[in-house]
Amino acid sequence: MLKYGKILKRIYDETNTYDPFEIARHFDTPVEYTDITDPPAKTVYLEDQPIILLSNKLRESNARYYICGHELGHIFKHTGIACSYDSNLHFRTGMEREADQFSFELCNAFYNEENGYYPNEVKQLNYSYGVPENFHLSGMLV
């Protein structure tokens, strides 16, 4: 069962896509490539405006889709709680898992949008969008 199916459906109804870059553009969230390396991406806020920063190393990598989706997961699910995020390791770990799951579901839906069917193994998502092959939710594809 999809945890973020309802929110993804609302996003799709508004944007007509599951492409993370198009979603960011629709919601006026700039995606910028920069010299960061570890982590390979992060979301920063300028006043209340989120900005997704991606490593220059991702520019030509399909993983940019999964990682951008992960950052969108933080924006849609965790906005405004950066202080708690930084101060509590257990909370941070849970938030990272939630952002991973959001991105996994987003990439799964994007695959269907682009191909007309859902993938039956995580390798397809890895090849297309950089979803880790050992992704812990890969059982959701079956």
Side-chain angles (χ1 to χ4, degrees):
M1 182 174 176
L2 298 178
K3 181 175 182 177
Y4 296 113
K6 287 182 182 179
I7 190 170
L8 290 174
K9 173 79 168 92
R10 286 195 313 261
I11 290 168
Y12 184 84
D13 288 345
E14 186 166 335
T15 65
N16 251 355
T17 188
Y18 290 111
D19 180 329
F21 292 94
E22 292 300 318
I23 292 168
R25 187 177 355 267
H26 178 84
F27 288 103
D28 297 321
T29 302
V31 178
E32 302 290 336
Y33 290 93
T34 185
D35 289 332
I36 63 173
T37 56
D38 190 31
K42 65 180 173 178
T43 299
V44 296
Y45 286 83
L46 183 59
E47 296 187 18
D48 290 335
Q49 175 66 41
I51 301 167
I52 297 173
L53 302 176
L54 298 178
S55 170
N56 282 326
K57 293 180 180 181
L58 294 172
R59 193 180 295 268
E60 301 300 321
S61 169
N62 285 346
R64 69 186 182 275
Y65 291 97
Y66 174 75
I67 292 173
C68 183
H70 175 97
E71 295 304 315
L72 287 173
H74 285 305
I75 292 168
F76 285 114
K77 299 301 296 174
H78 307 137
T79 299
I81 52 179
C83 293
S84 296
Y85 175 88
D86 288 336
S87 66
N88 186 322
L89 181 60
H90 177 72
F91 187 58
R92 182 172 65 223
T93 302
M95 288 174 50
E96 290 302 315
R97 278 195 301 268
E98 287 179 346
D100 284 345
Q101 182 170 350
F102 180 90
S103 187
F104 175 82
E105 292 181 26
L106 178 64
C107 288
N108 196 40
F110 188 34
Y111 187 94
N112 182 52
E113 178 185 331
E114 288 195 311
N115 297 285
Y117 58 92
Y118 287 98
N120 56 14
E121 56 184 45
V122 77
K123 283 182 183 182
Q124 294 163 285
L125 293 177
N126 172 265
Y127 178 78
S128 297
Y129 312 118
V131 173
E133 274 195 69
N134 62 351
F135 194 77
H136 69 280
L137 295 172
S138 60
M140 294 173 60
L141 294 174
V142 180

